[in-house]
Amino acid sequence: MNIMKKINNHISFILLFFTAFVFSSCNDEIDSDLFTGLWVQQSITEDGQEVSLSEKEKNLELLIESNGVYRTHTNNDDGSGSTEYYGAWTVTDSKWIEFSVNTWTLESDAYTLSESDQWNENHVLTRFTILSVDADMMQIRIKTYVGNKKYSPLFVVHDRPLVTEDNYSQITNEYKELKTYIFTFVKQQ
Amino acid sequence: MIRKKFSYVLLFCCLSLLSTACKEDVDIPDLLVGTWQLTEVKVNEQSEDISDKTDLIQFQANSIYQSYNTTTEEKNRGGWSYQGNMLNISLDLPAAYYVETISENSLELKRFDFGTDGELLTTQLFYEKAADDLIP
């Protein structure tokens, strides 16, 4: 009788363990599907301070699709049509979301070079920490150089200025100063 | 008695595994292979004139994609894949397609695009299976 009771306990334990295993085996901490859909940029903070958004940034739309491609759309500030941009996205370890972005860096002594040679373009994966994501809102954070945020499409495509002796040191300083940015998007569809 | 109990446990485990296994739809790429003729296009639920559109598309098993416009006789070749539950056609990237419905004889694809003012346009493309030799 005692042996039967022990066996029953073992069976109950196995059943409990197996049920827990089966129902947890397919789950990630964050479901990547939560990211897919159409998002509109709601706010950006820089080191905790809310940044005043330009018209272009206010109407930024971000379409994330399950095949790993994202697309953005903004109406240009000067009313001269719109700008679309696209790249790839991935989620890593349920902690980070990476977007491939054409980042721009400044050549040394760029002001001595012709306009077309002043900036270097690099297509790189740019990693954001996922602060929160649900069916309605997504918040992601990145610590990056001010210059990177200012001149690379995070997430609005920006114009890069002509580098002169006057603005060279200001721009190089922007690539030395690190700040933390939090982007908030709200789901549209 | 004990044997019977273990049989029930085993049966439970097997059924649980079968019902909750991570599934991936493997039928869609197989069903896509072949030639398809465009029959209707809807943008935001409104039917569009298809007389000037590329009306034949072909997915080959070796991941080659072909399209053919029977009016202009323009032919294009590219690649295709089915990834993340979406159909990627190299000629149309970054836009990709959702396979809304598919059977042996009919296919409905959907894609999203931004309109000029940023509104999201939904395009539905309806196809019927066609003979492979329609594309020269």
Side-chain angles (χ1 to χ4, degrees):
Chain A
M1 191 64 189
N2 223 358
I3 292 170
M4 281 300 289
K5 204 174 173 185
K6 270 187 177 176
I7 289 170
N8 273 337
N9 281 343
H10 281 303
I11 289 173
S12 303
F13 178 76
I14 290 167
L15 278 175
L16 191 69
F17 177 81
F18 187 78
T19 306
F21 169 75
V22 163
F23 287 101
S24 65
S25 59
C26 289
N27 289 338
D28 284 330
E29 283 174 41
I30 289 181
D31 182 0
S32 289
D33 288 346
L34 282 173
F35 293 97
T36 59
L38 181 66
W39 302 89
V40 172
Q41 184 163 261
Q42 190 185 53
S43 66
I44 302 172
T45 63
E46 183 185 70
D47 282 348
Q49 300 298 309
E50 187 135 344
V51 174
S52 171
L53 300 182
S54 65
E55 279 306 308
K56 215 158 117 170
E57 287 171 322
K58 275 182 203 163
N59 65 53
L60 176 93
E61 293 172 291
L62 170 65
L63 177 64
I64 298 180
E65 295 190 285
S66 60
N67 62 339
V69 175
Y70 76 92
R71 288 180 271 170
T72 65
H73 177 280
T74 44
N75 291 322
N76 297 337
D77 283 339
D78 59 6
S80 62
S82 59
T83 305
E84 286 191 33
Y85 183 82
Y86 63 87
W89 71 279
T90 51
V91 171
T92 303
D93 292 345
S94 297
K95 291 176 189 164
W96 299 289
I97 184 165
E98 293 98 1
F99 293 94
S100 66
V101 174
N102 287 336
T103 58
W104 292 90
T105 52
L106 201 60
E107 280 283 355
S108 56
D109 294 336
Y111 59 88
T112 63
L113 305 171
S114 65
E115 189 177 354
S116 59
D117 295 330
Q118 292 181 334
W119 296 87
N120 274 322
E121 188 179 22
N122 298 293
H123 195 71
V124 293
L125 271 185
T126 303
R127 175 171 278 185
F128 295 79
T129 302
I130 300 163
L131 297 180
S132 66
V133 62
D134 59 29
D136 304 313
M137 191 176 278
M138 166 171 71
Q139 270 201 322
I140 54 177
R141 182 183 65 206
I142 188 171
K143 189 171 188 177
T144 189
Y145 294 109
V146 172
N148 201 33
K149 162 70 180 68
K150 200 168 171 183
Y151 304 116
S152 300
L154 297 174
F155 286 87
V156 165
V157 178
H158 299 281
D159 293 327
R160 290 166 308 285
L162 175 70
V163 185
T164 62
E165 271 191 89
D166 294 334
N167 64 12
Y168 178 71
S169 64
Q170 177 220 316
I171 297 172
T172 50
N173 285 336
E174 288 170 343
Y175 277 96
K176 290 174 185 166
E177 190 181 1
L178 280 167
K179 288 197 174 180
T180 299
Y181 297 91
I182 295 175
F183 297 83
T184 303
F185 293 88
V186 290
K187 194 70 154 286
Q188 292 296 298
Q189 188 173 321
Chain B
M1 177 71 178
I2 293 169
R3 230 175 167 174
K4 202 174 172 187
K5 276 199 171 179
F6 268 114
S7 301
Y8 283 134
V9 170
L10 198 66
L11 186 67
F12 172 79
C13 292
C14 290
L15 286 174
S16 300
L17 272 177
L18 278 174
S19 64
T20 61
C22 305
K23 286 177 189 168
E24 193 159 299
D25 198 341
V26 292
D27 293 327
I28 289 177
D30 291 341
L31 283 168
L32 278 169
V33 171
T35 303
W36 300 90
Q37 180 143 29
L38 187 68
T39 56
E40 190 179 10
V41 175
K42 285 183 183 174
V43 178
N44 289 351
E45 299 292 331
Q46 299 294 309
S47 284
E48 296 263 300
D49 177 19
I50 59 167
S51 57
D52 62 340
K53 297 205 185 297
T54 297
D55 49 347
L56 286 169
I57 58 172
Q58 184 181 73
F59 301 99
Q60 297 177 6
N62 59 356
S63 300
I64 299 286
Y65 166 83
Q66 290 197 113
S67 66
Y68 185 67
N69 185 319
T70 49
T71 308
T72 63
E73 298 187 346
E74 186 187 345
K75 188 175 170 181
N76 286 299
R77 271 168 81 94
W80 72 277
S81 66
Y82 189 76
Q83 188 186 345
N85 291 323
M86 289 187 79
L87 169 64
N88 303 292
I89 297 172
S90 62
L91 303 176
D92 297 334
L93 285 169
Y97 298 88
Y98 298 86
V99 178
E100 292 291 280
T101 58
I102 188 165
S103 68
E104 292 285 340
N105 299 309
S106 68
L107 169 66
E108 182 193 341
L109 301 177
K110 183 177 83 178
R111 64 180 271 178
F112 294 119
D113 293 283
F114 289 113
T116 45
D117 294 324
E119 75 278 19
L120 201 63
L121 302 176
T122 305
T123 304
Q124 292 163 279
L125 302 118
F126 300 86
Y127 295 90
E128 280 176 3
K129 199 62 163 283
D132 289 340
D133 59 8
L134 285 175
I135 296 183

